[in-house]
Amino acid sequence: MDKLVISGSPHVHQNTSIPKLMYMVVIAMIPAMLVSFYMFGLGALRVFLISVLSCYLFEYLIQRYLIRGPITINDGSALITGILLAFNVPSSVPWWMMVVGALVAIGMGKMSFGGLGKNPFNPALVGRVFMLISFPVEMTRWPKPIVSREYFSFAGMDDKILDTVTGPTPLGKLQEEGVEGISESSGYADMVLGQMGGSMGEISAIALVIGGLYLLYRRVITWHIPVAYLGSSFALAAILWFADPTQYADPFFHLVTGGLILGVFYMATDYVSSPISAKGQIIFGVGAGVLTIIIRVFGSYPEGVSFAILLMNAATPLINNRFKPKRFGHKPAKAA
Amino acid sequence: MKTLKTFKLGGIHPQEYKIAADQPIEVLPIPKTVDIPVAQNLGAPSKVVVKKGDQVKTGQLIAKGEAFISANVHASVSGKVKKVDDVLDASGYKRPAVTIQAEGDEWEEDIDTSGEIKKEITASQQEIVDKIQEKGIVGLGGATFPSHVKLKVPEGKTAEYLIINGVECEPFLTSDHRLMVEKGEELMVGIEILKKGLGVEKVLIGIENNKPDAIKHLSEIAAQYNNIEVHALKVKYPQGGEKQLIKALLGREVPSGKLPIEVGCVVNNVGTAYAVYEAVQKNKPLIERVVTVTGKKLEKPSNLQVRIGTPVKDLIDKAGGLPGDTGKVVNGGPMMGKALTSLEAPIVKGTSGVIVFPEEEANRPPLKSCIRCGKCVAACPMGLEPLYLAQLSEKELWERAEENLIMDCIECGSCHYTCPSGRPLLDYIRVGKTNVGQMIKNRGN
Amino acid sequence: MDEVVIYAVVSMAGLGTAAAVILYFIAQKFKVIEDPRIDEVEEALPAANCGACGLAGCRAFAEAIVKNESLEDMNCPVGGNEVMEEVAGIMGLEAEQKDPLVAVVRCNGSKTNAPQKVIYDGPNTCQFAHALSAGESGCPNGCLGCGDCEESCDFDAIHMNPKTDLPEVVEENCTACNACVEACPRDIIELRPQGKKGKRTYISCVNTEKGGPAKKHCSVACIGCGKCVTACPFDAITMENNLAYIDPHKCKNCRLCVPICPTNAILEDNHPEMSEKIVEKAKENLKKQTEKKKKAAKEKDNEG
């Protein structure tokens, strides 16, 4: 004993830290990563590597030369942003686009607000939406799973071959051809396992759910956002479907296609950009679910998860302000 | 299995480390000198009635509580008053105290020092309250609120339940647990006395489910009495907070800024009930208490019966001495206790434990920026938003802190415990509470 | 086509005129007649809006002066006598000459003088550290070194010295606005008159403990021995709660108390280096004063 330490209570602390929480999220994403490796082979690995490495690189460069503050690339948040960004693009995306996407995600999405904890939007989604709007062709060419994987090399894929091994996503088909378009597409079992066109990480609902349950089990996330999000999108899709099954797809279709599950468990639950109180999280989830289905059904984009979550991210400060936790010893406030 | 009662909002479950739970209470030998601070209770300090050179007996009054909220202080050893002067307290500030050089152990004649359990309660209600006041009994749960004040139900209010707090939700601490297991009979008489003093019919004893022996023992004794119920509660911190305990047992919520009597309850700690038994039945003032001395690296974690004013060092020596790699010594529980600046600091009425932390656990986890994960909000038993309160305090926005109910904070520390970024949330909230309290006071004037 | 243009022009002109007329009447009706001197006074003030005068900013200060037509209890420490004279000129009043003040840090408990006894691990604010414990050196009155004063300063006039962990005042920048005095939870910082050529002598300690414990915490603590009180030829030094205090208005900067302090707790600013001569003189003076005061006490006894 040298000198006694004096500090305020409490004197014990939960064995947790930001890196620990972040790495648990990374662990949860491993099943979906493996599925994408299986479906797209080298193409997926290529995109993952470029995405993660550029995220790390940009975070380091910005912290070192622009912010000149402490370097915190080890906290795991850059890794998550990198993986999530890769999850949200097709496996055929050119390498330089990926680098630009990572720069926007880290630079604009996170660092421009002051780094982790201060960003109002989910950085990976900022990067993804930027890429989607800037490079609409490349971002909506979906290589077919398994079929396409032998044509990938580290340099990407030849454009001519690419045209022959790409196909639309189920949601894209729905947008183009209506309900008839999806009736002949592959069955639910294939869709749940990941046998469909789409972004690398979003295709296998089952792998994503496994990871999501792991996060819930380890208490990294709480049930509020996932349940509210899934429930509300399912409910709205079901209402539409009951109203007119010939015009609207069934709710299960909406659940397993596109980035819904990915968004629900990994992006909507992002600590920094989601509300704080349980009540607020439910509002957030419901809002995101409703917006997702509205964009999918009535909007011009076939997929709406990214936009829905970003919109709700923007509403988060308002939600935090309005929906306070249940206060002990106070009568529930009258609805103003 | 029946689901156990608990409070709903927030709460955490830290690792329990009740390593001293099986150690019977041992009596610590009388120290050479004792420093008895004269302000050991919440409220006004007491007035010293002895002077340097006086001979005092064990149990003799040395400081008189004159204000409404204040308590008498008695000599915990017999001997000569060495000085009436300032001594350093646990935080390193000086406090007025009476230092007594121990010579033998001669007790005041009217104190019954026999071990015999006296069950029959002869005192009247008024006598009970007077006795508790005379003998300097204060809440032994840690807040040290004078007990006689609690027994005086304010006009217009009625007490319905007496709630006995045997929760001991703080990790490490086991003094209340041992007291319940070993002194169950006396405890129950103490409860009967409190019941009579308060004039209530119903008594609820709340004990967390990690003390099955205490629950069983007290349930058995309680069966001999009327209207005393023992309730096993789910283990959850801070269930020992009186507002949380009432919520857990009765589902009633004490309104913000009010006392438990608002919902018809008076809460007393088991230690207090035992002290009440001794004061009323044995005429013995509050001059000793059970203190848990514990720590992961401590050779012999123990529960010790200690005279008030004994230096902390004596207790640690009894428990096997201070381990070489000690980094922090905490007075009280690990969640709400205070870190000691010196081991010479005396044990006071409110000391429930002394916990020795090794070096690697002494420092706080590294500080990172807040990621707004909301874990502190989920953990807060008062439904507050600690991250905002801390931010507002840091920026000195006192009005907004007040609007966000900073004064409701019970300082349980759950927020800081659960924070993955190691933010000193409670530290800032405390600063905020001090300033907001001052602001409210100034407004009143 | 032409018609459309004409309609547009005419209607816009009409609207504009109507609005102008309405606005004119409203402006007349709700005109606030303000003393033009408020603006003038405000103009003269330093516009620091620091609140050192006790009011919320320079405008409020100006309003208060004009409203009360008096300068009583009104002082802008930032602007000093010059500004107050200017204000007095505007108001046609007489400005009271005030000694210019400067912040003085009354603690010398650096890391070497007051060695660390415990390690403080908490937020870097004096307010919390003060509430938590006596501090790292154990001195219950000494500087905690967290720099609340530095943070409170709007004028870049007080800085923590990382070597000593004590604040240091930059005299040229200090406006005596009182912010640091209020920020310090231990009342260590005091505003003292700047003195002639900046010469000041003060007790650099606020510890009220008895000699023994004070010395244990810090080697340069005032131990309350009273030598300086005896030595002072001008009765400028008083002793209260084991702590000496030099009244700046009585002190003549004779420096005779400085060398005789057994713990070197008396500091002086902007004096030439202490010479052997002064030290000798101080010792002699102490002897002389001791005898003189003994004699005086005896005489008093005899009288009584």
Side-chain angles (χ1 to χ4, degrees):
Chain A
M1 182 192 82
D2 192 24
K3 286 168 192 130
L4 290 177
V5 173
I6 300 298
S7 62
S9 64
H11 304 286
V12 286
H13 299 276
Q14 195 164 28
N15 186 15
T16 176
S17 67
I18 297 175
K20 268 187 194 155
L21 293 170
M22 295 290 178
Y23 290 124
M24 274 195 253
V25 177
V26 173
I27 290 170
M29 292 193 288
I30 286 176
M33 259 167 95
L34 293 178
V35 169
S36 71
F37 290 154
Y38 175 76
M39 296 293 176
F40 303 112
L42 212 50
L45 184 65
R46 181 184 66 100
V47 175
F48 271 118
L49 282 179
I50 296 167
S51 174
V52 169
L53 288 179
S54 3
C55 281
Y56 268 117
L57 181 72
F58 288 128
E59 178 145 325
Y60 175 78
L61 290 177
I62 290 170
Q63 288 186 332
R64 178 87 170 70
Y65 294 105
L66 282 176
I67 296 181
R68 290 166 207 247
I71 302 213
T72 58
I73 55 170
N74 290 330
D75 64 13
S77 66
L79 181 59
I80 290 189
T81 303
I83 296 176
L84 275 179
L85 189 59
F87 268 9
N88 273 303
V89 298
S91 50
S92 58
V93 78
W95 68 269
W96 60 269
M97 254 177 226
M98 207 59 234
V99 175
V100 172
L103 176 60
V104 171
I106 295 290
M108 222 167 91
K110 188 161 80 175
M111 286 307 167
S112 63
F113 296 102
L116 182 66
K118 303 187 181 74
N119 47 308
F121 301 105
N122 184 322
L125 282 179
V126 172
R128 196 258 160 152
V129 166
F130 176 84
M131 287 168 81
L132 182 66
I133 295 169
S134 309
F135 319 114
V137 178
E138 288 82 354
M139 283 293 287
T140 50
R141 262 192 320 207
W142 315 101
K144 288 178 185 154
I146 303 183
V147 184
S148 66
R149 70 180 170 199
E150 55 198 285
Y151 302 105
F152 283 110
S153 73
F154 262 98
M157 195 190 282
D158 190 74
D159 259 3
K160 285 190 191 109
I161 307 173
L162 192 59
D163 283 339
T164 64
V165 292
T166 51
T169 62
L171 280 172
K173 261 190 174 165
L174 177 68
Q175 180 90 5
E176 294 285 312
E177 303 165 26
V179 179
E180 300 92 54
I182 57 165
S183 57
E184 64 216 51
S185 69
S186 46
Y188 281 123
D190 276 356
M191 284 203 248
V192 168
L193 287 172
Q195 275 278 25
M196 60 177 181
S199 298
M200 287 169 28
E202 69 184 27
I203 47 176
S204 171
I206 189 97
L208 290 166
V209 169
I210 289 170
L213 292 178
Y214 170 79
L215 288 183
L216 283 170
Y217 169 71
R218 296 302 300 264
R219 301 194 182 180
V220 177
I221 58 175
T222 54
W223 59 267
H224 305 90
I225 292 178
V227 168
Y229 197 158
L230 285 175
S232 63
S233 51
F234 186 85
L236 185 58
I239 291 167
L240 291 171
W241 184 59
F242 275 122
D244 188 358
T246 60
Q247 206 189 339
Y248 302 109
D250 68 279
F252 291 102
F253 177 83
H254 277 293
L255 279 196
V256 296
T257 55
L260 188 67
I261 306 281
L262 177 65
V264 163
F265 283 111
Y266 302 92
M267 296 189 296
T269 55
D270 174 30
Y271 285 147
V272 184
S273 49
S274 64
I276 280 161
S277 68
K279 234 186 284 174
Q281 288 177 350
I282 288 174
I283 304 286
F284 178 90
V286 169
V290 168
L291 278 174
T292 301
I293 299 298
I294 288 177
I295 296 173
R296 277 185 181 182
V297 174
F298 304 109
S300 59
Y301 277 95
E303 171 60 310
V305 171
S306 308
F307 294 109
I309 295 175
L310 283 177
L311 284 171
M312 289 315 288
N313 282 167
T316 295
L318 276 176
I319 297 175
N320 277 338
N321 229 347
R322 180 64 189 78
F323 296 95
K324 295 292 179 189
K326 157 92 186 71
R327 312 288 203 189
F328 189 99
H330 289 265
K331 298 235 170 70
K334 272 175 265 165
Chain B
M1 202 188 113
K2 205 179 78 178
T3 47
L4 294 164
K5 284 186 178 181
T6 189
F7 62 100
K8 281 208 192 73
L9 210 56
I12 53 171
H13 186 195
Q15 268 196 296
E16 288 166 27
Y17 289 116
K18 302 267 191 190
I19 33 190
D22 295 327
Q23 302 297 325
I25 299 169
E26 280 179 79
V27 178
L28 187 78
I30 295 167
K32 284 198 197 90
T33 56
V34 289
D35 292 327
I36 307 173
V38 292
Q40 294 189 35
N41 53 284
L42 208 71
S46 314
K47 192 171 167 256
V48 180
V49 294
V50 291
K51 56 185 193 301
K52 189 176 165 180
D54 281 3
Q55 282 290 333
V56 292
K57 287 180 183 169
T58 309
Q60 186 180 328
L61 184 75
I62 54 173
K64 196 161 168 47
E66 286 174 333
F68 177 61
I69 300 180
S70 65
N72 290 346
V73 180
H74 300 79
S76 59
V77 296
S78 63
K80 202 160 117 190
V81 176
K82 210 165 132 192
K83 58 177 185 180
V84 179
D85 198 2
D86 296 338
V87 297
L88 295 185
D89 69 356
S91 52
Y93 287 111
K94 45 188 192 176
R95 298 269 182 268
V98 175
T99 304
I100 303 172
Q101 180 108 40
E103 292 161 8
D105 191 19
E106 191 190 336
W107 290 61
E108 284 275 44
E109 288 82 18
D110 57 354
I111 299 172
D112 175 4
T113 50
S114 69
E116 173 196 351
I117 300 171
K118 204 173 141 200
K119 283 195 177 169
E120 196 195 347
I121 303 162
T122 49
S124 71
Q125 184 171 2
Q126 189 55 47
E127 279 166 3
I128 288 171
V129 176
D130 290 347
K131 204 59 146 181
I132 289 172
Q133 176 166 17
E134 184 198 324
K135 297 301 177 189
I137 311 297
V138 299
L140 295 185
T144 61
F145 191 79
S147 297
H148 65 272
V149 183
K150 267 193 189 177
L151 290 185
K152 289 173 187 157
V153 179
E155 255 175 77
K157 306 273 190 302
T158 40
E160 197 181 336
Y161 286 98
L162 168 64
I163 291 177
I164 298 295
N165 187 347
V167 173
E168 203 160 51
C169 58
E170 284 258 17
F172 287 96
L173 298 188
T174 53
S175 53
D176 287 353
H177 182 186
R178 289 316 302 175
L179 202 66
M180 287 188 281
V181 172
E182 292 177 35
K183 311 273 185 189
E185 296 280 351
E186 292 95 322
L187 199 61
M188 216 51 88
V189 180
I191 292 170
E192 279 291 306
I193 296 166
L194 280 172
K195 206 169 125 185
K196 191 170 173 187
L198 201 58
V200 296
E201 286 305 315
K202 287 177 258 183
V203 181
L204 301 176
I205 307 178
I207 307 173
E208 278 191 352
N209 205 28
N210 55 0
K211 296 178 264 292
D213 48 348
I215 297 170
K216 188 161 168 281
H217 186 60
L218 287 195
S219 304
E220 278 165 17
I221 308 171
Q224 304 160 18
Y225 292 86
N226 288 330
N227 288 330
I228 299 186
E229 286 174 38
V230 178
H231 287 273
L233 302 170
K234 194 179 158 191
V235 180
K236 192 164 154 192
Y237 180 86
Q239 199 146 233
E242 53 184 16
K243 292 184 177 182
Q244 275 66 36
L245 183 59
I246 294 169
K247 177 82 180 170
L249 287 170
L250 290 165
R252 295 181 188 179
E253 223 167 83
V254 181
S256 162
K258 295 280 165 44
L259 292 170
I261 191 69
E262 200 74 17
V263 292
C265 297
V266 172
V267 183
N268 272 298
N269 185 269
V270 284
T272 316
Y274 180 70
V276 164
Y277 161 80
E278 291 201 313
V280 177
Q281 302 294 76
K282 302 276 193 174
N283 216 11
K284 182 178 153 192
L286 183 54
I287 53 164
E288 50 186 3
R289 65 158 299 151
V290 182
V291 178
T292 307
V293 189
T294 181
K296 284 183 212 167
K297 298 274 178 79
L298 212 58
E299 200 179 301
K300 228 173 93 236
S302 345
N303 299 294
L304 302 172
Q305 188 176 320
V306 182
R307 299 286 171 96
I308 302 295
T310 309
V312 168
K313 196 170 166 299
D314 285 20
L315 279 73
I316 293 174
D317 286 345
K318 173 81 178 172
L322 200 67
D325 63 347
T326 300
K328 190 194 260 179
V329 180
V330 170
N331 180 345
M335 293 302 294
M336 292 184 76
K338 286 190 97 175
L340 287 174
T341 52
S342 152
L343 298 184
E344 300 298 326
I347 296 289
V348 292
K349 290 176 181 177
T351 311
S352 48
V354 172
I355 307 171
V356 178
F357 286 97
E359 247 161 32
E360 62 267 24
E361 288 174 30
N363 280 300
R364 291 175 157 182
L367 186 66
K368 300 264 175 60
S369 49
C370 171
I371 57 166
R372 290 184 272 168
C373 64
K375 282 182 189 294
C376 53
V377 179
C380 180
M382 298 307 287
L384 308 176
E385 294 153 306
L387 77 164
Y388 292 144
L389 295 179
Q391 255 173 33
L392 293 172
S393 293
E394 212 176 332
K395 293 178 188 158
E396 310 197 352
L397 299 168
W398 312 128
E399 281 92 358
R400 281 185 58 197
E402 188 192 2
E403 280 164 28
N404 282 285
L405 308 173
I406 196 168
M407 295 314 276
D408 276 3
C409 170
I410 58 168
E411 306 188 15
C412 68
S414 300
C415 47
H416 190 180
Y417 170 84
T418 186
C419 181
S421 292
R423 311 283 312 162
L425 297 165
L426 180 54
D427 293 357
Y428 279 115
I429 293 174
R430 283 209 179 102
V431 170
K433 280 181 78 174
T434 314
N435 284 287
V436 173
Q438 195 63 43
M439 193 175 79
I440 293 170
K441 218 169 128 192
N442 290 344
R443 204 183 292 150
N445 292 343
Chain C
M1 180 64 203
D2 285 353
E3 273 178 16
V4 178
V5 174
I6 290 164
Y7 283 143
V9 170
V10 168
S11 58
M12 285 311 288
L15 269 175
T17 317
V21 170
I22 294 167
L23 277 174
Y24 172 78
F25 282 106
I26 291 176
Q28 286 301 315
K29 185 150 172 53
F30 292 103
K31 194 174 185 183
V32 179
I33 298 160
E34 204 173 43
D35 199 321
R37 290 179 303 173
I38 293 179
D39 284 332
E40 281 176 49
V41 171
E42 195 189 357
E43 196 66 25
L45 294 171
N49 286 317
C50 60
C53 49
L55 291 160
C58 296
R59 180 84 191 172
F61 183 71
E63 278 168 7
I65 287 180
V66 173
K67 190 178 158 219
N68 298 338
E69 294 278 347
S70 131
L71 289 177
E72 204 176 316
D73 289 334
M74 301 296 275
N75 183 35
C76 172
V78 179
N81 285 333
E82 226 170 279
V83 165
M84 286 314 290
E85 253 165 53
E86 201 179 324
V87 171
I90 295 165
M91 297 296 299
L93 294 164
E94 197 70 18
E96 191 189 340
Q97 285 289 325
K98 287 241 164 67
D99 288 346
L101 301 175
V102 68
V104 170
V105 178
R106 292 182 294 166
C107 177
N108 197 12
S110 64
K111 283 174 189 167
T112 36
N113 290 338
Q116 191 185 36
K117 316 284 187 306
V118 294
I119 303 161
Y120 169 69
D121 184 14
N124 204 23
T125 77
C126 302
Q127 221 189 356
F128 181 76
H130 173 68
L132 183 69
S133 79
E136 294 198 323
S137 73
C139 174
N141 303 95
C143 177
L144 292 155
C146 296
D148 277 12
C149 47
E150 185 177 23
E151 205 160 293
S152 75
C153 185
D154 283 341
F155 303 97
D156 201 28
I158 192 162
H159 293 288
M160 297 305 292
N161 182 338
K163 276 186 199 136
T164 56
D165 254 358
L166 289 171
E168 282 169 11
V169 178
V170 184
E171 268 177 60
E172 307 83 76
N173 291 353
C174 179
T175 59
C177 72
N178 212 38
C180 53
V181 177
E182 274 168 31
C184 181
R186 296 189 153 178
D187 294 332
I188 289 167
I189 306 174
E190 186 197 8
L191 297 180
R192 289 176 79 89
Q194 268 174 17
K196 271 179 205 145
K197 288 183 193 162
K199 285 183 185 172
R200 293 181 291 273
T201 312
Y202 58 96
I203 311 283
S204 184
C205 182
V206 287
N207 184 304
T208 55
E209 286 175 302
K210 286 182 182 155
K215 188 87 202 234
K216 210 168 86 189
H217 294 141
C218 178
S219 63
V220 293
C222 171
I223 52 172
C225 67
K227 269 190 183 170
C228 52
V229 180
T230 317
C232 184
F234 310 104
D235 290 329
I237 308 182
T238 48
M239 179 74 67
E240 201 179 331
N241 285 331
N242 311 308
L243 178 64
Y245 178 77
I246 302 179
D247 184 340
H249 300 289
K250 288 186 187 164
C251 175
K252 304 268 191 266
N253 279 314
C254 70
R255 309 178 76 188
L256 294 178
C257 54
V258 179
I260 54 141
C261 176
T263 54
N264 296 319
I266 305 177
L267 292 192
E268 37 179 27
D269 287 345
N270 303 320
H271 283 276
E273 215 167 299
M274 184 59 71
S275 63
E276 278 299 316
K277 226 169 96 187
I278 302 177
V279 176
E280 281 303 314
K281 206 173 145 197
K283 280 182 190 159
E284 264 171 46
N285 172 60
L286 178 61
K287 262 187 220 157
K288 211 169 80 191
Q289 293 291 339
T290 315
E291 271 165 36
K292 193 172 144 194
K293 280 177 189 169
K294 254 188 206 159
K295 221 163 148 190
K298 224 179 225 169
E299 272 170 26
K300 213 175 175 189
D301 269 359
N302 291 345
E303 275 172 33

